[in-house]
Amino acid sequence: AAMSRRRLQQLVDSLGRSARHFNKSEVECLIKLFNTLVADSNNRFATVGFDRNVFRDTLHSIFGMTDDVLMDRVFRAFDKDNDSCISVVEWVEGLSVFLRGTLEERIKYCFEVYDLNGDGYISREEMFQMLKNSLLKQPSEEDPDEGIKDLVDIALKKMAIPFLLQDYDHDGKLSFMDFEKAVRDENLLLEAFGPCLPDLK
């Protein structure tokens, strides 16, 4: 017990520096929540953290997220070492940006979530995929995909005009620089392709 208390204190001190948007008592609470989530789960990474399913359940139950594609991408954004497991460090540092990140941190995070294939661009196909999953289909629509395609075109041509200022070849791909400029000009574009941050509540 003394060792675990000492280990907890070391973690709190370390994460208090790296997860700079939380104070030490908040870090300690998040570590305890992490340990509870791990203890309550029967996941294969129980000795070091928790898996995608536990993380998705947490996103759904605590933050009300429902979109499968975006929840998977949020998992990948938290899972910095790409080992399919969220460690306590990834948990606390990820939540620091997720809950209290600066605009710059949130721009980087949202871009990472939306760049589905990790090639450094948000393509028309990726926009389509995310908007298709996040919008409700109307039963009367003959081809609901057509409505999504129209929305992607609107996002590119109208709402996201700032994105295209540097898109010289007009291929509908948004670079990080395009995305950052657009969001800085209009903060509402931060979650243009689906909710991947918690709401105010």
Side-chain angles (χ1 to χ4, degrees), residues 33-92:
L33 175 57
F34 175 87
N35 290 335
T36 301
L37 289 168
V38 170
D40 289 349
S41 70
N42 295 316
N43 83 97
R44 59 198 170 109
F45 298 109
T47 54
V48 286
F50 51 74
D51 63 15
R52 189 181 311 265
N53 292 331
V54 176
F55 187 75
R56 283 161 57 100
D57 289 347
T58 305
L59 286 178
H60 179 68
S61 60
I62 297 178
F63 300 111
M65 294 184 84
T66 56
D67 186 293
D68 287 338
V69 170
L70 290 177
M71 284 195 288
D72 184 62
R73 294 300 305 163
V74 172
F75 176 85
R76 289 172 185 270
F78 271 65
D79 182 20
K80 293 297 183 193
D81 61 5
N82 206 25
D83 67 350
S84 300
C85 168
I86 303 294
S87 68
V88 67
V89 172
E90 289 170 334
W91 167 250
V92 177

Side-chain angles (χ1 to χ4, degrees), residues 145-161:
D145 285 0
E146 282 305 313
I148 308 295
K149 286 174 188 166
D150 289 345
L151 197 55
V152 169
D153 286 338
I154 290 168
L156 283 168
K157 290 175 185 167
K158 302 249 190 327
M159 180 183 73
I161 279 291

Side-chain angles (χ1 to χ4, degrees), residues 163-177:
F163 283 142
L164 300 176
L165 293 178
Q166 295 176 34
D167 182 19
Y168 296 118
D169 54 3
H170 300 289
D171 62 355
K173 279 187 172 182
L174 309 178
S175 69
F176 176 73
M177 215 156 49

